[in-house]
Amino acid sequence: MVESRFRDAVIRNPLADDHPRILRVLDHWWGEFEGSAGSLQRAMLLPRLYFQHFTSGSFLAERNGELVGFLIGFLSESRRGESYIHFVGVAPEWQGGGLGGYLYQLFFDYSRAHGRTVVRAITSPGNAGSYTFHRRMGFDVEPGPVAFDGRPVHPDYDGPGLDRVCFVRSL
């Protein structure tokens, strides 16, 4: 189990018992982004299995026992040189303070330690904040056949109507 600190937050690997805690904050942290459809998508993207089988490359940040951030990531089984950041969230009052970048750096370090040289991630085309954050973190945007507000989009990437912007970063 990893444990470190970022300012006055404790960072550790998540446990299965953390699953409901994270689901409870999603709508608030995303500001009801994309309404009830977005809420359902977020919940479906984080099934309990991530908190049972993918914890070594995932990190949870707490301050005084309160959840303030998380990153769910894993090493690719199929692409041995790659790792993947699946889902990340930072409490609104902690955004812009470096916690998200710190969680990404932990994941980059974890990936390097396991021989990975590439990290991939995706976001929703309408999530301009996520797009900007990934670009600041050194991710390149993979070209897509269409664009949304100037961002390359891969239509139906995660299923019908679930378009995504795809990122890649070399370590």
Side-chain angles (χ1 to χ4, degrees):
M1 163 123 358
V2 166
E3 187 169 306
S4 67
R5 289 194 157 303
F6 176 81
R7 298 187 184 158
D8 54 352
V10 174
I11 314 294
R12 63 173 174 81
N13 299 108
L15 305 169
D17 289 345
D18 293 313
H19 179 247
R21 293 177 65 203
I22 288 179
L23 291 181
R24 278 194 298 272
V25 301
L26 293 181
D27 286 341
H28 170 65
W29 287 12
W30 268 258
E32 308 295 328
F33 181 68
E34 296 184 341
S36 61
S39 178
L40 181 59
Q41 281 184 46
R42 284 185 292 278
M44 290 179 66
L45 285 170
L46 281 174
R48 184 175 294 276
L49 69 92
Y50 283 104
F51 300 84
Q52 296 169 320
H53 302 285
F54 295 94
T55 59
S56 297
S58 299
F59 307 98
L60 183 138
E62 297 172 300
R63 180 176 179 262
N64 298 327
E66 182 181 336
L67 181 66
V68 295
F70 66 91
L71 180 150
I72 305 299
F74 55 89
L75 305 173
S76 175
E77 286 289 319
S78 302
R79 298 177 179 180
R80 294 289 181 183
E82 297 184 10
S83 58
Y84 188 82
I85 295 174
H86 176 67
F87 207 114
V88 181
V90 174
E93 60 274 13
W94 280 70
Q95 291 176 10
L99 177 59
Y102 183 76
L103 294 172
Y104 271 61
Q105 288 301 324
L106 287 175
F107 186 76
F108 296 158
D109 292 345
Y110 170 80
S111 296
R112 278 189 207 95
H114 288 85
R116 297 326 202 252
T117 58
V118 171
V119 177
R120 295 188 180 275
I122 61 171
T123 195
S124 172
N127 193 337
S130 174
Y131 181 87
T132 300
F133 175 81
H134 281 90
R135 297 293 289 142
R136 274 197 324 260
M137 291 303 300
F139 282 86
D140 292 319
V141 181
E142 296 188 297
V146 298
F148 177 83
D149 284 346
R151 297 184 281 279
V153 173
H154 296 259
D156 301 330
Y157 183 87
D158 275 336
L162 299 175
D163 304 344
R164 300 292 182 249
V165 175
C166 300
F167 300 101
V168 61
R169 184 186 192 276
S170 296
L171 296 177

